[in-house]
Amino acid sequence: ELDTINHPLEADASSQMLMYRYEEVTGSIAETYRHFRTYSSLRDTLWQLEKQQLQNDLTRELKDKEQASEIDLLQQKNHLNNLYLWVTIGFAILALIIIALIYGNYRRSRKNILELKALNDHINQQKKQLELATVELLKSNRDKDRILHIVAHDLRSPINGIIGLSNIMMAQSPSHDQKQLLEMVLNTSQSALVLIGEILELNSVR
């Protein structure tokens, strides 16, 4: 039976059990009682040890499950942060394209307006009949400038939202790669705000 013994006390308990059975057969009541009492004490001790081991195993298993749950939660949080990051980058790129198109069109329009003014002066000297047409053209350009001012002003809110969201994500201790991407988004968004400010400033000068 030595191969089946898991704890040294089991050998002592088995020995005491054999002894009290032997003494019981031989008729020695005192020795039988002594060995039986020792055997019972050893079995109680073994039971307490097994109970303690079971509690330790349960505690270890619960701790392992808690750690696994925390890891899963961190992975989900990281996935969500990555999703927010890419959405922010997408909005930033879209906003930059729109701003670039508006700014380019504005510059071309401004240049055209200056050329039209010079041409209008020349035409006014030669043909007064074109004065009404020139007035209508200037009115159309003012409407265009007003619309451009409204559009440029409205673009500030989404870009400020992108900057705010990026700052929130930066405060959440992102990884090195995520931090670089967030810095790129912040720099790009701030550049976009500068461009919008230039557009509004140029429009106000007009």
Side-chain angles (χ1 to χ4, degrees):
E1 296 181 358
L2 292 177
D3 294 335
T4 63
I5 293 175
N6 297 320
H7 194 278
L9 289 179
E10 291 187 8
D12 292 339
S14 298
S15 174
Q16 291 298 323
M17 181 184 68
L18 292 174
M19 290 302 297
Y20 96 74
R21 287 181 179 176
Y22 171 77
E23 296 296 343
E24 185 179 19
V25 172
T26 58
S28 178
I29 297 175
E31 290 298 321
T32 299
Y33 175 73
R34 184 175 65 82
H35 288 299
F36 180 76
R37 186 175 59 183
T38 304
Y39 167 74
S40 297
S41 176
L42 290 172
R43 290 308 302 173
D44 289 341
T45 301
L46 285 171
W47 182 82
Q48 291 294 334
L49 291 173
E50 290 176 358
K51 180 180 178 182
Q52 183 65 35
Q53 182 64 35
L54 181 60
Q55 290 178 347
N56 292 337
D57 292 342
L58 290 174
T59 302
R60 189 183 308 109
E61 185 176 354
L62 288 174
K63 185 179 294 184
D64 293 339
K65 288 184 178 180
E66 288 178 357
Q67 291 178 350
S69 177
E70 290 177 358
I71 292 173
D72 291 339
L73 185 61
L74 289 175
Q75 290 176 346
Q76 293 177 2
K77 185 177 181 181
N78 186 51
H79 177 71
L80 188 60
N81 287 338
N82 288 333
L83 181 62
Y84 286 152
L85 176 62
W86 286 112
V87 169
T88 303
I89 292 173
F91 278 118
I93 292 173
L94 182 61
L96 285 177
I97 293 172
I98 295 173
I99 291 170
L101 292 174
I102 293 174
Y103 186 70
N105 184 57
Y106 175 79
R107 293 294 297 272
R108 289 191 297 270
S109 299
R110 178 179 169 83
K111 184 178 180 181
N112 291 335
I113 291 171
L114 294 176
E115 292 176 354
L116 287 173
K117 281 187 175 182
L119 183 60
N120 184 53
D121 293 338
H122 179 68
I123 291 173
N124 284 331
Q125 293 175 2
Q126 295 183 359
K127 296 181 181 181
K128 294 182 179 181
Q129 298 176 355
L130 297 177
E131 184 176 358
L132 294 176
T134 303
V135 171
E136 292 295 327
L137 179 62
L138 291 175
K139 181 180 178 182
S140 176
N141 284 328
R142 284 195 297 271
D143 291 339
K144 176 184 60 62
D145 290 341
R146 180 176 58 82
I147 294 173
L148 184 61
H149 178 82
I150 293 173
V151 172
H153 187 270
D154 289 343
L155 282 174
R156 278 184 168 180
S157 294
I159 293 177
N160 283 325
I162 292 172
I163 292 175
L165 180 61
S166 300
N167 286 325
I168 291 173
M169 295 177 67
M170 286 284 286
Q172 294 179 354
S173 301
S175 63
H176 179 69
D177 293 338
Q178 292 176 349
K179 184 177 181 181
Q180 288 183 339
L181 290 174
L182 288 172
E183 288 175 352
M184 181 183 70
V185 170
L186 282 172
N187 293 333
T188 305
S189 301
Q190 290 170 356
S191 299
L193 284 178
V194 172
L195 289 176
I196 291 176
E198 291 179 359
I199 291 174
L200 294 174
E201 182 179 357
L202 288 173
N203 195 45
S204 64
V205 170
R206 288 186 50 78

